[in-house]
Amino acid sequence: MAVVEEKKVGTWEKLASIDRRWIFLVSFIMIVTPLIYPVKLPIGISPETAAVYNYIENLPKGSVVALSMDFGSYLSENYPQARTVFAHALKAGMKVILMGMWSYGATITSSFMIDEIRDYAERTGITQITSAMATYGENYVNLGYILQAGTGVMQLAEVGFYPLLFPKDNYGNLLETLPFNKFGKHITEFMAADLDLLICFAAGTPGIEVYRNYWWATGRMTHLAIGAVGVSVAGYYPLMDAGIIIGIIPSTRGALEYDQLAGMIGASGQSLGAMDAQSLQHLFIVVLLIIGNVGTIAMSRRRREA
Amino acid sequence: MGFVEYASDIGMALIILCAYSFLYKENPFYRIMESLYVGGGVGWGLAYSLFRFNQTLVPFFKDPSSLWWYTIAIFLGFFWYTYWSKKYYFLYRIPLSYGIGLSIGTGLYGSVYSTFIAQVTATFKGAGATPLETFNNILITIGAITAVLFFYFSKEHKGALGFASRIGRYFILIFLGSAFGNTIMGRTGLVISIVSELLKDPQWMMIPLVIAIFMVVELLKRIGYLREFSPTIAQAFEVPAKGETKG
């Protein structure tokens, strides 16, 4: 008769073999709960986000801020950033150009954003935004997709916005029919150097490196900032250190920070409960990391002793 | 809310939930969503290409004499397709070399200056305006040099080189930790955005509906009735028939 040796299963082994779906469930509950019942934990403002906000605030009214929508879906990390900066720029009296090197973000998502910010301004009664958005093409214009990212961006600096790259805007309006101008200079005469700031909301490639290589390095236009996805944030700090970009809006947290700076909670489409959920989730992951590491050490020690 | 908005909200919620159902297990709802996503992406790409085609080439066909130089681009474009012909493959090299030459010619200066010279200069800043800034600058310099030394494999990492490369490894690990933390923040932010959408009205109603469907299917599977109830559904959920073994 075969004797089956019973293996002693310790607590760490039990924890290691736990069905990961339980972790997903706890994680989901920890996200949903603060979204329904927000605690409204305070959010610290990072200097990188403040740098972008202050730069726009210090520009004279009527300056041109370009938003490069280099991402896809509106359910992305970049979308809340673009929303809040767009709303703030209009509120601060800037003129805004929307364009992008990603076809979806530059066409559909940007159009969607315009509608959402108009709704937001009407709902919250921010008259500066509603009056700035009263006539399309006066204070903001949606130019759409920049064909052939590198050469397209270079053309913006070398030969201008019109007529080669943008004969029409995203909606098919001829550019010469739009009233958009900077202190009397019409958009059809714009070169990259006429932009006072370009913020690249980059989800990947093509992204900030195109503007950096074709504009900043050649001195054609040197006022750049970035709205970065979480995974890339750490890699952009050297650019800020080297003075290539003036600031970074990091992930959805950066969008919430920007909301606070601009005094427009909800402009990014994110509630304060979202940050509670974020904090709680981080705490949960930190706890899991500690348990995982301690468990791994304990199990390997036990294996060595056995 | 109009019917179209209502339907699109419900549709969006269902697609999101179908995507997330993969976290529970592989299932036909996820596969439907996966196909929808791929199809939608391809459809969008094709539609937008045709739109650009229309915007760019229609003016040329209307007035070819004023835009005669488009013919060069059109020929170059067609040459890409000679890749699949043994006889005319050599033509494929023309647009390829043109593209590479254009990229290098226009991007080399900017690329070298902004990714190399500007950042190396910023690494060796020296004294700053405040003692803390000076300390930070020194730390960056040490971090950059030791991290580069970590990847120097021409000499065994012993003695001073070993010590420096170990310091470099710690700097790299700090960077990776920061990148990991930011990635978690980004991914969590995405989930929060999506869950915030799902909690809106009428999207939230789809959550109990989808959970109920999965619970019913799971219950039927557990009691062994799913194959009798519907062989098609059972096959979709990969329930083995009696006597069969899965896989």
Side-chain angles (χ1 to χ4, degrees):
Chain A
M1 196 175 151
V3 180
V4 179
E5 194 183 317
E6 260 190 43
K7 255 191 176 176
K8 202 181 170 188
V9 180
T11 316
W12 291 117
E13 279 81 4
K14 273 183 196 167
L15 271 175
S17 60
I18 198 168
D19 191 336
R20 63 173 171 232
R21 287 178 292 191
W22 288 112
I23 295 171
F24 296 152
L25 184 67
V26 175
S27 184
F28 179 73
I29 291 165
M30 286 177 111
I31 286 174
V32 170
T33 313
L35 285 174
I36 299 171
Y37 307 106
V39 190
K40 294 180 183 172
L41 292 166
I43 306 166
I45 308 290
S46 60
E48 301 83 41
T49 310
V52 181
Y53 171 80
N54 291 332
Y55 194 89
I56 295 179
E57 277 291 300
N58 293 328
L59 284 172
K61 280 185 192 271
S63 301
V64 178
V65 175
L67 309 185
S68 191
M69 310 280 280
D70 303 321
F71 58 95
S73 156
Y74 92 105
L75 281 174
S76 67
E77 290 174 69
N78 296 114
Y79 183 66
Q81 302 164 349
R83 262 186 68 143
T84 186
V85 174
F86 179 55
H88 170 236
L90 289 175
K91 189 186 169 196
M94 301 297 130
K95 301 213 169 190
V96 183
I97 291 176
L98 301 173
M99 54 187 190
M101 295 178 284
W102 287 40
S103 64
Y104 201 86
T107 54
I108 292 182
T109 311
S110 55
S111 305
F112 192 73
M113 181 177 80
I114 291 167
D115 292 341
E116 285 211 333
I117 289 300
R118 189 181 286 114
D119 287 351
Y120 167 78
E122 281 167 8
R123 207 170 55 242
T124 49
I126 304 174
T127 49
Q128 297 101 314
I129 300 178
T130 43
S131 59
M133 294 187 87
T135 314
Y136 170 75
E138 198 174 326
N139 295 303
Y140 71 100
V141 64
N142 186 3
L143 294 181
Y145 179 53
I146 303 170
L147 199 62
Q148 286 295 318
T151 41
V153 164
M154 195 178 66
Q155 278 176 23
L156 291 177
E158 294 268 315
V159 289
F161 283 61
Y162 179 86
L164 202 60
L165 207 64
F166 292 123
K168 293 173 184 175
D169 71 357
N170 187 41
Y171 310 109
N173 303 306
L174 291 166
L175 225 57
E176 62 256 39
T177 62
L178 299 173
F180 195 95
N181 67 82
K182 178 188 176 184
F183 308 125
K185 188 176 187 179
H186 193 253
I187 190 167
T188 50
E189 299 162 36
F190 273 21
M191 304 284 280
D194 291 305
L195 305 178
D196 297 286
L197 176 66
L198 179 128
I199 307 173
C200 176
F201 299 98
T205 307
I208 190 73
E209 76 286 347
V210 178
Y211 295 106
R212 186 192 68 194
N213 293 348
Y214 289 101
W215 288 9
W216 184 86
T218 54
R220 287 163 176 142
M221 195 286 195
T222 54
H223 317 292
L224 304 174
I226 185 161
V229 290
V231 68
S232 319
V233 173
Y236 290 127
Y237 281 94
L239 299 188
M240 199 172 161
D241 216 30
I244 297 170
I245 51 175
I246 54 125
I248 305 167
I249 304 173
S251 192
T252 41
R253 184 200 156 88
L256 272 162
E257 289 175 10
Y258 205 97
D259 274 1
Q260 287 203 87
L261 282 164
M264 298 190 295
I265 298 297
S268 64
Q270 304 265 307
S271 62
L272 279 177
M275 210 59 238
D276 295 341
Q278 181 84 259
S279 306
L280 212 60
Q281 198 62 211
H282 277 239
L283 201 67
F284 180 54
I285 288 163
V286 168
V287 170
L288 288 179
L289 278 172
I290 292 169
I291 294 172
N293 279 288
V294 172
T296 308
I297 294 165
M299 283 194 295
S300 61
R301 188 172 292 171
R302 194 176 297 167
R303 266 197 298 271
R304 269 202 305 273
E305 284 168 5
Chain B
M1 188 187 277
F3 174 75
V4 177
E5 284 89 356
Y6 194 84
S8 72
D9 284 348
I10 294 279
M12 180 185 71
L14 281 173
I15 287 172
I16 291 170
L17 288 165
C18 285
Y20 274 112
S21 67
F22 186 74
L23 295 178
Y24 177 61
K25 62 164 71 167
E26 167 85 40
N27 66 79
F29 298 114
Y30 171 75
R31 289 197 288 271
I32 290 169
M33 190 287 311
E34 199 180 24
S35 306
L36 271 175
Y37 181 79
V38 175
V42 172
W44 161 256
L46 185 66
Y48 199 76
S49 300
L50 289 173
F51 169 73
R52 292 303 309 202
F53 182 83
N54 183 43
Q55 216 174 35
T56 314
L57 284 186
V58 168
F60 167 72
F61 288 126
K62 276 184 183 166
D63 184 15
S65 58
S66 67
L67 296 165
W68 61 267
W69 42 275
Y70 271 35
T71 46
I72 301 168
I74 290 167
F75 269 107
L76 280 175
F78 274 123
F79 288 168
W80 281 112
Y81 297 101
T82 58
Y83 178 79
W84 287 285
S85 161
K86 276 184 185 168
K87 194 176 174 186
Y88 298 107
Y89 178 79
F90 68 96
L91 291 171
Y92 167 77
R93 293 178 189 161
I94 300 171
L96 186 70
S97 51
Y98 172 77
I100 292 170
L102 184 75
S103 301
I104 293 174
T106 57
L108 192 65
Y109 170 75
S111 184
V112 169
Y113 183 68
S114 64
T115 54
F116 191 67
I117 298 169
Q119 290 186 49
V120 168
T121 311
T123 306
F124 301 97
K125 276 185 177 169
T130 59
L132 200 66
E133 204 178 307
T134 308
F135 174 74
N136 193 35
N137 291 346
I138 293 167
L139 204 66
I140 287 170
T141 308
I142 293 170
I145 293 169
T146 52
V148 170
L149 284 174
F150 177 76
F151 294 102
Y152 182 74
F153 302 119
S154 299
K155 196 169 179 274
E156 199 178 349
H157 287 195
K158 272 181 178 174
L161 181 64
F163 178 74
S165 71
R166 196 177 307 138
I167 300 287
R169 191 172 64 180
Y170 292 136
F171 274 102
I172 292 167
L173 288 172
I174 290 167
F175 170 82
L176 291 176
S178 163
F180 176 75
N182 277 310
T183 308
I184 293 288
M185 183 172 75
R187 300 291 184 264
T188 311
L190 272 180
V191 177
I192 291 166
S193 303
I194 290 164
V195 173
S196 303
E197 280 297 318
L198 281 178
L199 292 177
K200 286 178 189 167
D201 199 33
Q203 290 95 305
W204 68 267
M205 288 187 272
M206 294 301 106
I207 300 175
L209 178 77
V210 170
I211 291 173
I213 289 170
F214 271 88
M215 282 175 78
V216 168
V217 169
E218 200 59 35
L219 189 73
L220 290 173
K221 261 170 73 178
R222 292 267 166 102
I223 60 172
Y225 185 66
L226 190 62
R227 190 161 282 279
E228 282 177 49
F229 176 73
S230 165
T232 319
I233 296 176
Q235 197 180 1
F237 277 90
E238 291 167 357
V239 178
K242 275 179 191 171
E244 273 180 23
T245 48
K246 208 176 165 185

